[in-house]
Amino acid sequence: MNADVLIGVDAGTSVIKAVAFDLSGHQISIASRPNSYATLANGGVEQNMARTWTDTVEVLAEVVEAVGAERVLTLGITGQGDGTWMIDAHGEPVHDGWLWLDARATQEARELTDSANIDAIHQVTGCGVTVCQMRTHMHWMQRHTPEILDRAATAFHCKDWLYFKLTGIRATDPTEGVFTFGDFRTRQYSDQALEALELSHLSHLLPPIVDGSTQTHQLTAEAAEKIGLPQGLPVSLGYVDIMCCALGAGLHDAATMPGLTILGSTGVHMRFVPDEELVVMNEELSGYVMGFPGKALAQMQTNMAATLNIDWLLGLGAELLSAHGQKTDPSELLKGLDEQVLDARAGAVLFHPYISSAGERGPFINSAARASFTGLDQQASWFDLVRSVFEGLALASRDCYALMGPMPKEIRFTGGAAKSKALRQILAACLNTPIRGVAQVEAGAAGAVMIAGIAQGIFSDAEAATDAWVQPLLEDPIPPDAELASTYGEVFEAYLATRHALAPAWQAQATMRSALA
């Protein structure tokens, strides 16, 4: 039998998955393991690197057994972005991996943002400085745990660690390597960026940048035996998960030039940019610019928390019911919620969805930012509050798009929240733009294997991959409700005014939290 299966690994924050696709892009097998991580008292969030590799081996072996090893043509790897995963000269973890949720480097992020070098950092990398990045983590380590840096030989991100375990190659990709330490125009490390970050002395920790759409490495004998695949199988280092998801969800569309909103644990809002000359830099010095395979790029703003806000609110509801003897899983409260949300009052309460303890990174950067309800009165019902949380996610999306230039004529929409009828309608009206779902549930894994498919000659380029695998899966557009769009135009002005007014209060609250701690 000829090899006709591509397998993608998506090592996310909540779940590690292996997904098998046939050559037409149809999903034929999937295996997953729930992820777990430790939250520390100092704001740190860490994940055991050895366990992450073990979980990856297990899901890969499960999928390989289901489809047959002889059918597998290639592997593509992606995973959660940001964070810092260090290994030593022998390839062993120096410490547990630091996740993008890690908030301990708040002071270091603020110092970089307030430094005279911040304009140079942003102009070269195309990326704002946030608390969750490897560059801020390195500054924290220098100050508090220099022994980690002393023992380290290579600084990885999550997917880079898995690629190393699969191939023995120390590498990163043209997205994560560049938005932290590089120039988005050249897609290579930048001496200017490293100097502006005052991290030139740690450049020896940065692995080579490898583009998985043009270069692959072979599966090692040790990894092959664990997984059940032949030694030497080509493995492609995919781009960071949000870029793989962008590719798998159809952002790479030069004809339409769409936007893409991903509402999962975090929120990502992206616009397609044909070339570097059309990138719109912003005065907030926030956001990311990352390349697709080829010439095109994506410009994006990312909210630290999206559906985490809904999880938090429903968790409170479940906690209240439990206190009265009614044990309820928060996910059960989500079922049937759409109609109740749509029946609630639009704009009755404002909610700013900054529930993450790491603050906010898009469209503004403020580690002290926190979520809040405003405009409450005694008429506000529970479902008004729930609707306001849904609206807060949509208003945050609009806030992000407003900073990146004109609103795209169409927004593609994916992520866990894409299943919600209420959120789809609210988002379309809030953006006043048609939105389209993509019937590709595992867009991240799909994007990883699309990149691998380019490397194997299955697709000539990213546009051809999109035409073959994504265009057939685009759902009918959902037009915005004109009356509701008009309402949200007024709500958005109040949302912005409140957001700006809250900034001094966030700082006062941060001072208070520090004193109480």
Side-chain angles (χ1 to χ4, degrees):
M1 180 182 293
N2 293 328
D4 62 349
V5 171
L6 303 90
I7 298 178
V9 172
D10 186 357
T13 309
S14 302
V15 180
I16 296 176
K17 305 171 187 173
V19 189
F21 300 86
D22 65 20
L23 295 178
S24 298
H26 298 118
Q27 179 180 316
I28 57 176
S29 182
I30 184 171
S32 65
R33 296 287 184 278
N35 207 0
S36 62
Y37 47 81
T39 301
L40 311 182
N42 65 356
V45 180
E46 299 179 353
Q47 184 169 318
N48 185 280
M49 293 172 65
R51 190 196 63 247
T52 303
W53 167 238
T54 299
D55 289 344
T56 301
V57 167
E58 290 179 356
V59 295
L60 276 170
E62 188 174 328
V63 167
V64 169
E65 183 177 4
V67 302
E70 72 282 357
R71 295 182 61 190
V72 180
L73 176 64
T74 187
L75 299 180
I77 312 299
T78 189
Q80 55 177 292
D82 279 324
T84 306
W85 300 51
M86 299 276 197
I87 66 170
D88 63 20
H90 303 290
E92 296 299 322
V94 171
H95 196 274
D96 284 347
W98 293 21
L99 272 61
W100 63 272
L101 292 164
D102 195 293
R104 76 187 89 186
T106 298
Q107 180 178 344
E108 288 72 20
R110 186 180 301 119
E111 289 171 357
L112 280 172
T113 299
D114 292 342
S115 75
N117 296 334
I118 186 60
D119 284 325
I121 294 168
H122 188 254
Q123 286 296 320
V124 175
T125 65
C127 174
V129 172
T130 69
V131 67
C132 59
Q133 295 165 346
M134 183 185 288
R135 52 195 182 184
T136 45
H137 289 171
M138 284 182 168
H139 275 280
W140 191 95
M141 290 175 183
Q142 286 185 134
R143 181 172 288 169
H144 300 284
T145 56
E147 65 277 7
I148 292 179
L149 295 173
D150 291 341
R151 294 200 307 269
T154 310
F156 283 151
H157 298 92
C158 176
K159 63 173 175 31
D160 308 333
W161 160 244
L162 298 179
Y163 191 73
F164 171 73
K165 295 296 288 183
L166 289 164
T167 67
I169 300 297
R170 298 174 189 244
T172 193
D173 79 289
T175 54
E176 291 209 276
V178 170
F179 78 69
T180 44
F181 303 110
D183 186 332
F184 72 85
R185 300 162 189 84
T186 65
R187 306 195 187 190
Q188 297 295 325
Y189 293 127
S190 164
D191 290 340
Q192 182 183 355
L194 285 163
E195 290 169 7
L197 289 162
E198 300 181 358
L199 291 173
S200 298
H201 61 291
L202 295 179
S203 63
H204 64 281
L205 297 179
L206 306 182
I209 293 173
V210 169
D211 187 340
S213 69
T214 60
Q215 182 180 6
T216 62
H217 292 98
Q218 295 182 345
L219 189 66
T220 66
E222 181 181 358
E225 183 178 1
K226 290 177 182 292
I227 296 166
L229 284 170
Q231 178 184 353
L233 187 83
V235 184
S236 174
L237 178 58
Y239 293 9
V240 66
D241 60 351
I242 53 176
M243 285 303 291
C244 285
C245 194
L247 188 59
L251 183 65
H252 196 293
D253 185 340
T256 305
M257 305 244 324
L260 172 67
T261 283
I262 306 168
L263 291 182
S265 299
T266 188
V268 181
H269 315 285
M270 315 170 79
R271 61 182 283 262
F272 177 82
V273 183
D275 61 66
E276 64 190 51
E277 299 299 326
L278 296 177
V279 169
V280 177
M281 307 303 282
N282 64 77
E283 294 182 357
E284 294 278 2
L285 304 180
S286 64
Y288 299 77
V289 178
M290 299 186 206
F292 283 110
K295 185 180 179 182
L297 306 99
Q299 186 167 357
M300 69 190 79
Q301 292 286 337
T302 61
N303 309 125
M304 283 297 295
T307 57
L308 289 175
N309 291 275
I310 299 173
D311 296 342
W312 162 77
L313 185 65
L314 296 183
L316 292 184
E319 187 178 344
L320 180 62
L321 290 173
S322 178
H324 289 272
Q326 299 182 46
K327 294 288 185 182
T328 304
D329 189 302
S331 62
E332 290 298 313
L333 296 179
L334 192 59
K335 296 178 181 178
L337 196 62
D338 278 344
E339 295 306 321
Q340 294 159 318
V341 166
L342 291 173
D343 286 342
R345 297 176 297 158
V349 178
L350 282 179
F351 179 73
H352 289 77
Y354 315 137
I355 203 68
S356 170
S357 58
E360 189 51 278
R361 61 183 175 185
F364 62 93
I365 298 173
N366 189 331
S367 59
R370 291 297 183 270
S372 60
F373 290 105
T374 55
L376 286 163
D377 60 27
Q378 71 270 26
Q379 298 179 45
S381 70
W382 167 255
F383 290 112
D384 287 337
L385 296 183
V386 177
R387 177 164 183 146
S388 76
V389 172
F390 280 47
E391 290 173 342
L393 301 188
L395 292 163
S397 300
R398 180 165 172 170
D399 203 2
C400 285
Y401 278 112
L403 207 63
M404 295 189 289
M407 182 70 70
K409 295 180 180 179
E410 176 181 295
I411 304 292
R412 276 101 196 246
F413 181 41
T414 188
K419 301 173 186 176
S420 167
K421 172 186 173 183
L423 193 49
R424 290 197 303 268
Q425 291 186 13
I426 289 170
L427 182 67
C430 189
L431 299 179
N432 198 18
T433 302
I435 66 172
R436 297 183 76 173
V438 184
Q440 176 56 272
V441 177
E442 301 299 339
V449 295
M450 288 164 74
I451 290 171
I454 296 170
Q456 296 305 309
I458 297 170
F459 313 113
S460 58
D461 54 23
E463 194 73 23
T466 300
D467 289 343
W469 275 32
V470 182
Q471 292 294 344
L473 298 179
L474 289 176
E475 299 172 348
D476 292 336
I478 300 171
D481 177 276
E483 183 177 350
L484 192 56
S486 177
T487 296
Y488 284 142
E490 297 293 330
V491 173
F492 182 62
E493 294 304 316
Y495 174 92
L496 277 183
T498 306
R499 193 250 283 175
H500 290 299
L502 283 170
W506 293 333
Q507 193 53 54
Q509 291 169 2
T511 302
M512 173 197 71
R513 286 192 297 272
S514 179
L516 293 176

